[in-house]
Amino acid sequence: MIIITALLLGLSFSMIALYLAYSISKTKFFREAFEFLATYSSESIGKDKRSMRKLRKIKKQLDRAKRRLMLLFFIHLAIFMLSYTALISTTYLVIPVQDIIVRIPIGIPLISGTIDGHYVTHILFIAFIGFMAPSYLFAKIVKMTQPVK
């Protein structure tokens, strides 16, 4: 029961982080930057006078779009860190102290040990597994918000 609680805590905090990251990246502020970069990133810029004039003309908008994407990266990083910190805090608040070390049915390399012939691990590792389970979705959201080349 405690293992299921830790897994559900990890999944719920991960899903909240996914929802926040997705909703923030779809705001008009960031969507404009993606659209601008998608428009101009596929064009090759030559070294002739005409291309240089065009580049000078859009340089300010290009720098603004790049700064917005850098800001989005830091926002995604902050969301991940805050949700993971909240997961750790909530896990320690919800799980009783005597149940921090739990028995698991199979050994997990590098994070489990054996006590009296049973595999055991810390409950935070179980919560972390639940947190990282939907990480594919998070990576897909981050990749989906990148400009198309």
Side-chain angles (χ1 to χ4, degrees):
M1 183 65 180
I2 293 173
I3 293 176
I4 293 172
T5 304
L7 282 173
L8 288 176
L9 276 173
L11 281 171
S12 62
F13 277 97
S14 182
M15 291 308 216
I16 290 169
L18 282 171
Y19 175 73
L20 285 174
Y22 181 75
S23 61
I24 288 173
S25 64
K26 289 300 178 184
T27 59
K28 183 181 176 187
F29 183 76
F30 295 114
R31 197 175 45 224
E32 288 173 353
F34 289 126
E35 291 168 358
F36 179 79
L37 287 177
T39 302
Y40 290 104
S41 66
S42 60
E43 296 179 13
S44 62
I45 298 174
K47 297 292 181 184
D48 60 338
K49 199 173 191 179
R50 181 177 158 201
S51 297
M52 289 301 180
R53 230 181 272 129
K54 184 178 181 181
L55 181 62
R56 243 183 276 128
K57 185 178 177 182
I58 65 168
K59 182 158 178 39
K60 186 177 178 183
Q61 292 172 326
L62 186 63
D63 289 340
R64 186 181 312 134
K66 286 181 180 180
R67 279 194 302 267
R68 285 182 183 185
L69 291 184
M70 185 62 69
L71 176 65
L72 182 64
F73 168 75
F74 285 122
I75 289 172
H76 281 169
L77 184 65
I79 288 171
F80 173 76
M81 291 172 58
L82 286 173
S83 62
Y84 186 62
T85 305
L87 169 68
I88 291 171
S89 302
T90 307
T91 302
Y92 275 119
L93 289 174
V94 171
I95 305 297
V97 176
Q98 65 270 16
D99 295 329
I100 293 295
I101 303 295
V102 293
R103 286 179 32 186
I104 54 176
I106 58 171
I108 304 170
L110 302 177
I111 64 170
S112 66
T114 56
I115 295 179
D116 298 330
H118 298 287
Y119 292 111
V120 295
T121 190
H122 198 279
I123 197 67
L124 284 181
F125 290 125
I126 303 297
F128 182 70
I129 290 170
F131 184 78
M132 293 310 290
S135 65
Y136 172 75
L137 294 174
F138 190 75
K140 188 169 180 152
I141 285 173
V142 169
K143 186 176 182 179
M144 187 175 68
T145 58
Q146 300 300 319
V148 179
K149 293 183 180 180

